[in-house]
Amino acid sequence: VALPAATALVVLAILLATAFLPGPGAALRRVANVASGRNDPDTPDPLTTAPLDLHSLRRAAAIIGSGAFYVRAPAASPQLSAHDLPGVATLLFLPARPTTELRRADWILSYGVRPLVPHGVVARRIWHLAPSIALLEVRH
Amino acid sequence: VGLVAGVLVVNLALLAVGYALLAVALRGARLRVWISYGGVALATGAALVPVALCVVAVAGGRTNPAAFGAVAATLAVLGLALATLLPARRRALIAVRPRPAPAEGRLADVVAGAAGAALVAILIAVLIGGFRTTPWLDDSWFQWLPKGMALDRLGLDARLFAPSGPFRTFANPDYPWWWSIVTDLDVRAVGAVDLRALNGQLGVLLTAFVAATMRLLWGRVRPSLLCCGMLLLVAAPELLRQTQGGGADVPVALFVGLTAVAVFVWLRDGELLALALVAVFASAAIQIKDEGLPQIAILFAAATVVAWGSAGPRRIGLLWLAGTTALSAALPWLVWRRLHDVPSELSLGDGLHRLTAFDAGNRLHDAVVRLVHDAFAPRQWLVIVPLALVLSVGAALAGRRLLPLAVGLVLAIELLFWSWVYWSTASDADLQYRLTTSAYRVVVTPIVLAGLALPLLLEAIAGAARARRPLLQGRHPAKIA
């Protein structure tokens, strides 16, 4: 037992030491995502294809209670409007449920669209989270 | 409680449950034996608690921390009760029997130590990196974690989990919820929606997988071969990259792999604990992704064919009983899916229909080429698959038996299975997109199986060489005995 254990300790020490040196430890640093090996974002936020204002979305998440929510985004950007924004909103806004029908929504997130309050909707309250981003509580 | 502490709290609870369930087999063993079963215990707890929570969800409950605590406590009490109340002679049937590692020379000892240290260094880096990296795969935040959060906060709301009405249904509603539940528990314990918890959990699962595999194969494979084989698998850049993807492909591969190891130990040595672990690990594999069930079926079928002669019908029969037990844990979910008209994307009926309609086009060719390319890519997977194939032929020749060729058989069936999946579920128009976005992930399971076979094949070759050595040296085998 002594020989393999001693070897393991020596090799482990060498590997961990080289992890802090330029060159030899690059692979370990890349896996650990530290120092010069860092190649991925170290953030709690989801990595989306379309850039999203996560700060505003998290602010909205803190406001939204239960009920149903609807997201409005520019249709010209399907990645944003059909995937990234609804996905991140669902992640952050639960337990509110995502609906595909505006008239059923208790909450509406208008993201980069004008007007911020859609036609036919009466807003009980509006939070302006950022320029062109607003959260609406709907009066039914 | 913070990112790292939150994930650790969940995993310590799963570890405790696993130890309680293993207590019936570990009772009376030395402390160091208990410690050596840490990876097996964590994998056991991590497999069974979420599987039980899936049943809770179908029954109408939420999978929130209270349910987690109740399920964990129930399983732990059951395990401890079994360990306490089972008569000693019955307990002896399932008790662990640690085997000493086969003696090796000094050079082999040094190799084992060095490879083991490299393994530890990589796993440390994986754990650090997991907690410092947000997942790169959008499935992680688009479907896996939100499903778990919905099960936690709303319960199994059919308006979100089955295509219906005015609500936005989650993507891939046919996928089971094991990974969703695990990741939600992590996020809950962390106290915030922090996606890095998913990668941290993947790092912990990979560590548990390595520790459990080495424990189960310890004494059956020389330490130097075991450490080197595991090192080649864990050092594969693509495995490490996908461990930071946040998806369920790595967990399903790890649990199919652990099932394979337990199947090997059961069929080879007939240890009842290994048979129980087959049921435990297979139940998790089935409930992680749709493809878990067919891949477990492939594994069992291949094991039955190649081990029928050596293991005998009793062990084979009990193996299938364990598999049926694992499948039965998924029955509530399968029934719920059927009742809510959520068909599996992997439909045997659709596949056979297209097969009889000769509706292949070039899809089959394209799928096979892509899968083989991904499985053999040396920059991603080093030489795991070609080495496994070469060693299987070498072991078959060295031992003058066909059994090692099972590795190639399983790999071939796996690749044919995935080719069939792409062929039968993708149209000509979207095949390339689906291959590009998923083929590199679905090959993880067969490659993990190939990686796990490496130490076993090396041991088979070394064992055959040692058995022949006395004859080559002109000495009678009896003198050696």
Side-chain angles (χ1 to χ4, degrees), chain A residues 45-46 54 57-58 60-62 87-95, chain B residues 149 193:
Chain A
D45 292 331
L54 265 300
L57 291 177
R58 285 191 184 270
V88 173
T90 303
L91 174 76
L92 297 178
F93 295 174
L94 277 165
Chain B
M149 292 172 65
V193 181

Side-chain angles (χ1 to χ4, degrees), chain B residues 6-232:
Chain B
V7 174
L8 285 183
V9 162
V10 170
N11 284 280
L12 283 175
L14 296 174
L15 178 71
V17 173
Y19 266 129
L21 291 167
L22 292 180
V24 66
L26 288 170
R27 189 176 166 190
R30 291 181 174 184
L31 178 63
R32 69 179 182 191
V33 175
W34 277 79
I35 292 171
S36 73
Y37 272 83
V40 179
L42 179 52
T44 300
L48 284 188
V49 175
V51 164
L53 283 170
C54 288
V55 178
V56 169
V58 175
R62 295 185 186 181
T63 59
N64 54 19
F68 172 60
V71 165
T74 304
L75 288 173
V77 167
L78 282 175
L80 294 175
L82 200 64
T84 310
L85 301 177
L86 206 65
R89 60 187 173 77
R90 292 275 175 96
R91 250 190 4 254
L93 295 175
I94 199 170
V96 296
R97 299 182 195 89
R99 296 160 173 245
E104 296 189 282
R106 287 191 167 189
L107 179 61
D109 282 348
V110 170
V111 169
L119 257 178
V120 171
I122 291 174
L123 290 174
I124 290 173
V126 166
L127 286 168
I128 293 173
F131 288 109
R132 294 177 53 85
T133 312
T134 199
W136 49 260
L137 184 66
D138 58 358
D139 283 355
S140 60
W141 53 263
F142 192 75
Q143 58 162 318
W144 293 117
L145 180 56
K147 283 179 183 175
M149 292 172 65
L151 290 173
D152 173 345
R153 291 155 176 81
L154 300 168
L156 182 49
D157 186 338
R159 292 173 295 181
L160 301 181
F161 284 87
S164 63
F167 289 94
R168 189 182 286 271
T169 309
F170 287 123
N172 299 111
D174 57 324
Y175 280 179
W177 311 313
W178 184 94
W179 182 232
S180 297
I181 289 172
V182 172
T183 52
D184 170 68
L185 291 172
D186 286 327
V187 166
R188 272 285 211 163
V190 169
V193 181
D194 189 332
L195 272 294
R196 293 170 296 189
L198 278 68
N199 286 345
Q201 182 62 51
L202 284 174
V204 173
L205 285 177
L206 182 65
T207 306
F209 163 79
V210 172
T213 301
M214 295 195 66
R215 172 63 265 182
L216 293 172
L217 294 182
W218 195 260
R220 296 178 170 88
V221 179
R222 291 163 175 79
S224 60
L225 305 181
L226 184 55
C227 291
C228 287
M230 291 305 292
L231 177 60
L232 188 62

Side-chain angles (χ1 to χ4, degrees), chain B residues 316-343:
Chain B
I316 297 289
L318 288 172
L319 175 69
W320 282 94
L321 183 64
T324 308
T325 306
L327 179 60
S328 66
L331 278 182
W333 166 68
L334 291 168
V335 169
W336 183 90
R337 220 174 61 174
R338 171 65 70 123
L339 290 176
H340 288 82
D341 200 21
V342 183

Side-chain angles (χ1 to χ4, degrees), chain B residues 290-378:
Chain B
D290 268 8
E291 54 259 40
L293 177 56
Q295 295 195 108
I296 290 291
I298 289 171
L299 183 66
F300 277 38
T304 301
V305 169
V306 300
W308 184 268
S310 57
R314 180 179 166 274
R315 285 185 191 176
I316 297 289
L318 288 172
L319 175 69
W320 282 94
L321 183 64
T324 308
T325 306
L327 179 60
S328 66
L331 278 182
W333 166 68
L334 291 168
V335 169
W336 183 90
R337 220 174 61 174
R338 171 65 70 123
L339 290 176
H340 288 82
D341 200 21
V342 183
S344 171
E345 199 179 347
L346 305 180
S347 168
L348 184 62
D350 288 351
L352 291 177
H353 173 72
R354 296 182 85 158
L355 182 68
T356 52
F358 297 102
D359 183 25
N362 289 323
R363 292 197 308 277
L364 191 59
H365 169 266
D366 290 353
V368 170
V369 168
R370 181 62 191 239
L371 289 164
V372 170
H373 172 269
D374 283 351
F376 281 79

Side-chain angles (χ1 to χ4, degrees), chain A residues 31 38 42 45 97 99-100, chain B residues 132 134 157 166 193 196 244:
Chain A
V31 175
R38 185 179 298 179
D42 180 5
D45 292 331
R97 298 173 176 85
T99 179
T100 53
Chain B
R132 294 177 53 85
T134 199
D157 186 338
V193 181
R196 293 170 296 189
Q244 295 181 349

Side-chain angles (χ1 to χ4, degrees), chain A residues 25-88:
Chain A
L28 276 179
R29 284 197 299 276
R30 192 167 55 248
V31 175
N33 202 29
V34 293
S36 59
R38 185 179 298 179
N39 62 350
D40 287 310
D42 180 5
T43 165
D45 292 331
L47 207 57
T48 55
T49 305
L52 280 180
D53 183 347
L54 265 300
H55 177 69
S56 294
L57 291 177
R58 285 191 184 270
R59 274 186 62 203
I63 297 167
I64 289 182
S66 58
F69 72 87
Y70 182 90
V71 291
R72 300 169 64 231
S77 171
Q79 181 69 39
L80 175 74
S81 62
H83 186 272
D84 289 0
L85 184 60
V88 173

